């Protein structure tokens, strides 16, 4: 047995009386972890920016469309790799010193549901990792090759991300923001609020965009059909 | 104080040691409740079947499309009214004898998360009631008036329903089906599994349908654009 009481292992998570008996403190610093996250995301973004700048069979993509494709590439990495890690190893993360486990222990300072493998969180993250992750890379491919289903895929991924993020905030709101030090500038505002708000705001914009694109295409098709039926 | 121990009020929910201190047994029978649910759903279905049979500006709807529109009408009723009730009164339902509260107490025999106002369940049901409910009626209107966004709406509602239902089953699966008498023919298999499986299977079919319709429209639009750009 440890010298500390089972229910009072020292850890940085909230609520302070949370029991995480097997917790091992990180030996990687916050800046190492954030540098990794943002520089790999940056590499995905820049590589996709470069690739989307080339001319393809259907011409050149506009700046906003290129940015949207870069977003999906970054999402593919974050969902598939970062959240994929959580979906596979959530049971051992508090005790594990792998780099990505340390990333999740760092993030858990802003939301301890990741350190305690909260049921909804595990389910939502698993679906995000294994569906929206691969789908995001599929969307990059679909826009590069001008597939007719590209905006359908954009709509599906974005609505999936939005619904996941809304449930993520809503469940924690109803829990009284108990899993974070409410108001902490980095852990609460940056990790919990800002980073997740990206998956509310950007998907909302992309849903509106897909709505417009697909409705426009449908209007054209409906028109073509009604002209045809008038002629015959 | 009651004569029974606070943690052992007699109730029909699982797990059997669940504490529902203010529970009041239903005075409506299961058959009254199911008759209400299925006959009102049937009225919505038949009324929509009648309305969708009329010729409109863009011709006549096919049988499968009419059935899909009937589905959305029934969804509008179930999400907006039945689940809307839960989203408003989940705190008082165990003690309340209103008809719809009794319906939820009856349903809770198959999933007690509704009797204990489980956090994920309240969040998911609230979004279902207040978004997918009105959106379902909007979809009925959109198909009747042949709006160009009708399949976008079908895709949004169906993906929302599917994601909600998948999380609903997945969270309970990870809880070991603790909130139901596993294997009970009516409460587990009919209420919990069958009724909710409808919101997995039918949305899946309608997502595939919308994918085909919208991709087809986009292909036509992409073609029209590339012909135009070749001409100019």
């Amino acid at each position: 047995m440890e010298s500390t009481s089972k229910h009072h292992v020292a850890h940085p998570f909230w609520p302070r009386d949370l029991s995480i008996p097997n917790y091992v403190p990180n030996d990687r610093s916050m800046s190492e972890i954030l540098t990794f996250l943002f520089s790999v995301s940056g590499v995905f973004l820049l590589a996709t920016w470069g690739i989307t700048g080339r001319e393809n069979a259907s011409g050149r993509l506009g700046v906003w469309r290129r940015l949207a494709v870069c977003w999906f590439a970054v999402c593919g990495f974050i969902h598939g790799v970062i959240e994929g890690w959580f979906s596979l190893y959530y049971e051992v993360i508090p005790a594990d010193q792998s780099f990505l486990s340390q990333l999740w222990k760092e993030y858990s300072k802003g939301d301890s549901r990741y350190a305690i493998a909260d049921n909804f969180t595990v389910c939502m993250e698993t679906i995000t990792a294994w569906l929206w992750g691969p789908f995001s890379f599929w969307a990059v491919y679909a826009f590069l090759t001008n597939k007719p289903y590209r905006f359908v895929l954009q709509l599906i991924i974005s609505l999936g991300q939005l619904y996941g993020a809304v449930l993520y905030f809503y469940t924690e709101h109803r829990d009284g923001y108990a899993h974070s030090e409410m108001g902490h500038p980095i852990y609460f505002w940056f990790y919990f609020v800002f980073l997740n708000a990206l998956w509310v705001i950007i998907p909302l914009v992309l849903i509106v965009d897909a709505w417009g694109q697909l409705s426009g295409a449908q209007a054209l098709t409906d028109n073509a059909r009604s002209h045809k039926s008038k002629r015959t």
Side-chain angles (χ1 to χ4, degrees), chain A:
Chain A
M1 293 296 288
E2 308 239 79
S3 59
T4 48
S5 147
K6 192 189 167 200
H7 288 274
H8 292 89
V9 172
H11 64 65
F13 308 121
W14 287 68
R16 297 302 295 130
D17 61 354
L18 208 59
S19 168
I20 308 180
N22 56 350
Y23 171 72
V24 177
N26 279 354
D27 54 33
R28 300 283 192 163
S29 68
M30 173 200 281
S31 61
E32 273 181 283
I33 290 167
L34 293 184
T35 302
F36 165 80
L37 181 67
F38 291 116
S39 58
V40 178
S41 296
V43 167
F44 272 87
L45 196 151
L46 287 174
T48 313
W49 180 259
I51 295 166
T52 52
R54 297 180 195 156
E55 189 143 8
N56 67 25
S58 54
R60 219 178 263 282
L61 293 174
V63 169
W64 286 107
R65 190 60 55 208
R66 286 173 72 188
L67 285 173
V69 179
C70 291
W71 162 254
F72 284 122
V74 174
C75 284
F77 161 64
I78 291 178
H79 296 334
V81 178
I82 309 283
E83 292 170 280
W85 186 273
F86 176 78
S87 82
L88 292 174
Y89 301 114
Y90 59 84
E91 279 180 329
V92 300
I93 281 173
D96 187 47
Q97 294 297 63
S98 312
F99 191 85
L100 289 181
S101 292
Q102 296 204 31
L103 181 150
W104 281 111
K105 281 188 277 181
E106 176 63 24
Y107 178 77
S108 296
K109 295 175 188 170
D111 187 350
S112 66
R113 293 181 292 179
Y114 288 82
I116 57 172
D118 166 74
N119 191 19
F120 157 74
T121 306
V122 169
C123 293
M124 182 274 287
E125 286 294 351
T126 302
I127 291 165
T128 300
W130 297 93
L131 285 180
W132 316 147
F135 280 25
S136 294
F137 287 126
W138 187 12
V140 172
Y141 165 80
F143 276 100
L144 283 173
T145 52
N146 209 41
K147 288 280 181 289
Y149 58 76
R150 62 197 183 280
F151 290 112
V152 182
L153 208 47
Q154 173 173 316
L155 182 59
I156 289 174
I157 296 163
S158 301
L159 186 68
Q161 293 171 323
L162 176 65
Y163 196 2
V166 166
L167 283 173
Y168 177 76
F169 280 128
Y170 193 7
T171 48
E172 184 59 9
H173 172 73
R174 291 192 75 257
D175 270 345
Y177 302 101
H179 301 96
S180 192
E181 185 182 350
M182 209 175 160
H184 189 288
I186 293 171
Y187 305 141
F188 182 80
W189 285 111
F190 182 64
Y191 290 4
F192 174 68
V193 176
F194 173 76
L195 289 182
N196 291 290
L198 293 177
W199 275 273
V200 173
I201 296 163
I202 299 176
L204 262 178
V205 171
L206 292 175
I207 287 168
V208 171
D209 173 49
W211 180 295
Q213 297 281 349
L214 293 169
S215 298
Q218 186 68 52
L220 203 93
T221 305
D222 291 345
N223 253 329
R225 239 175 242 152
S226 72
H227 280 270
K228 201 180 251 176
S229 67
K230 269 170 200 157
R231 260 183 271 136
T232 53

